Amino acid sequence: LTEAEVRQRFPAVFQHLLLHVKPERDQNNEDYRRLNWWLFGRNNAVLRSALRGLPRYVATVETAKYRLFVFQLAAVLPDNLLVCVATGDAFHLGVLSSRIHGAWAPAAGGWLGFGNDPRYNKTRCFDPFPFPAATPAQTAEIAALAEELDALRKHRMAAHPHLTLTGLYNVLAAIRAGQPLTPAERDVFDAGHVEVLRHLHDRLDAAVAAAYGWPADLPAAAIVEKVVALNRERVAEEAAGLVRWLRPEYQAPGEAAQVARREQLAMPVEPDAALPTWPKKPDAQYVALRAALARAGRAGPADLARQFRGVRPAKLAPMLEVLAAMGQAREAGGGRYVA
């Protein structure tokens, strides 16, 4: 929003910004932050680009006692304490909510805070994690269970405002450990339908394990070993040219379009040779990116990545920020830039 829009539509917010933000921003050496004092210092252009067009996405708190994933509506703008996955597919939510990912994440991530809670590091916990090559039937089963799990938790917390996700899973942990429940925990158990929660998690764990082709009762250490081994297999696959995209229409739109055409025409389609290859040298990359932005008019990382072969939006987002800082581009809102 412009300064005037904030002032006219949200005067209480504007007053808070005047009192608590503007004095500090007035002293900032960076022109963008000083002149645009009512705006966020940095927008996550990569995430906004990835979420564009999605009705919902998956989120988890970066540092938390339990590794829980939930759907958030697209209208919710996440802060830096949430790790977000740009997918609205319940199959992905189901796999991330399973015991297999639950064993992998703390082993791959770190620990932080007073209670030494697990920290979910995207590059260590999510990026190398291999999703199962599930059959259509397995995918549908996992997605259905994940939808039911997400809906149950939200419905019970909406009906009983004193319930929290941490409270629900504290009671679930006590039940699994065979501990007697206190009166307060019994209230959470009843109001939160925690036995149903346990039933859904057990079914989801079994369904995800079946999709991997692994026993459902593997100990955590064995799960981590299998995930590492599967990751190595996927690395070899990708080196041979097979990439199992989670969202091919976003991550590899050229490939997705070719697959759609191939299925439609029932004939092989060669890669689109008309697109220029992304330069290897950094200085040439910036020249190519600036030229692509000039051609596109107003574009974000995903739009510009489609103009080349061999580059992803995540690579272009910080480069666009550099171009903006150098005066070679400027932000146009919504994670997009103009030359």
Side-chain angles (χ1 to χ4, degrees), residues 36-124:
N36 300 282
W37 55 269
W38 69 96
L39 296 178
F40 284 118
R42 287 284 182 270
N43 288 327
N44 192 329
V46 176
L47 178 63
R48 291 195 178 199
S49 173
L51 295 181
R52 189 173 297 118
L54 292 179
R56 62 185 183 180
Y57 59 92
V58 175
T60 185
V61 179
E62 183 180 60
T63 304
K65 183 177 181 179
Y66 303 107
R67 183 50 49 207
L68 307 176
F69 294 83
V70 300
F71 276 133
Q72 292 282 8
L73 293 177
V76 176
L77 295 180
D79 70 4
N80 63 302
L81 298 181
L82 290 180
V83 178
C84 303
V85 183
T87 176
D89 192 332
F91 168 72
H92 299 147
L93 176 68
V95 174
L96 293 173
S97 300
S98 72
R99 181 170 171 265
I100 288 175
H101 192 70
W104 160 258
W111 302 81
L112 190 69
F114 179 76
N116 201 25
D117 291 329
R119 182 176 183 272
Y120 196 81
N121 184 302
K122 171 191 169 294
T123 57
R124 296 176 62 181

Side-chain angles (χ1 to χ4, degrees), residues 235-257:
V235 169
E237 285 182 353
E238 292 186 11
L242 172 61
V243 181
R244 301 174 185 266
W245 305 107
L246 292 185
R247 280 183 62 202
E249 71 284 356
Y250 173 76
Q251 295 171 292
E255 286 186 26

Side-chain angles (χ1 to χ4, degrees), residues 85-215:
V85 183
T87 176
D89 192 332
F91 168 72
H92 299 147
L93 176 68
V95 174
L96 293 173
S97 300
S98 72
R99 181 170 171 265
I100 288 175
H101 192 70
W104 160 258
W111 302 81
L112 190 69
F114 179 76
N116 201 25
D117 291 329
R119 182 176 183 272
Y120 196 81
N121 184 302
K122 171 191 169 294
T123 57
R124 296 176 62 181
C125 300
F126 181 82
D127 288 353
F129 178 75
F131 281 70
T135 66
Q138 290 171 333
T139 299
E141 180 185 9
I142 292 169
L145 289 167
E147 291 278 18
E148 189 175 350
L149 174 66
D150 191 63
L152 172 70
R153 296 182 302 203
K154 289 175 178 172
H155 180 267
R156 300 321 300 162
M157 289 191 293
H160 301 278
H162 69 287
L163 295 179
T164 64
L165 280 174
T166 300
L168 289 173
Y169 282 85
N170 279 338
V171 173
L172 179 59
I175 292 172
R176 291 196 185 282
Q179 300 172 359
L181 300 182
T182 66
E185 290 173 332
R186 174 57 63 178
D187 173 66
V188 172
F189 177 86
D190 293 334
H193 294 179
V194 176
E195 187 61 30
V196 181
L197 186 68
R198 175 167 73 163
H199 175 75
L200 287 173
H201 270 291
D202 289 347
R203 289 192 57 187
L204 184 62
D205 290 342
V208 172
Y212 279 102
W214 302 342

Side-chain angles (χ1 to χ4, degrees), residues 258 262 265-270:
Q258 291 173 37
R262 186 161 57 245
L265 300 175
M267 61 184 294
V269 178
E270 293 299 321

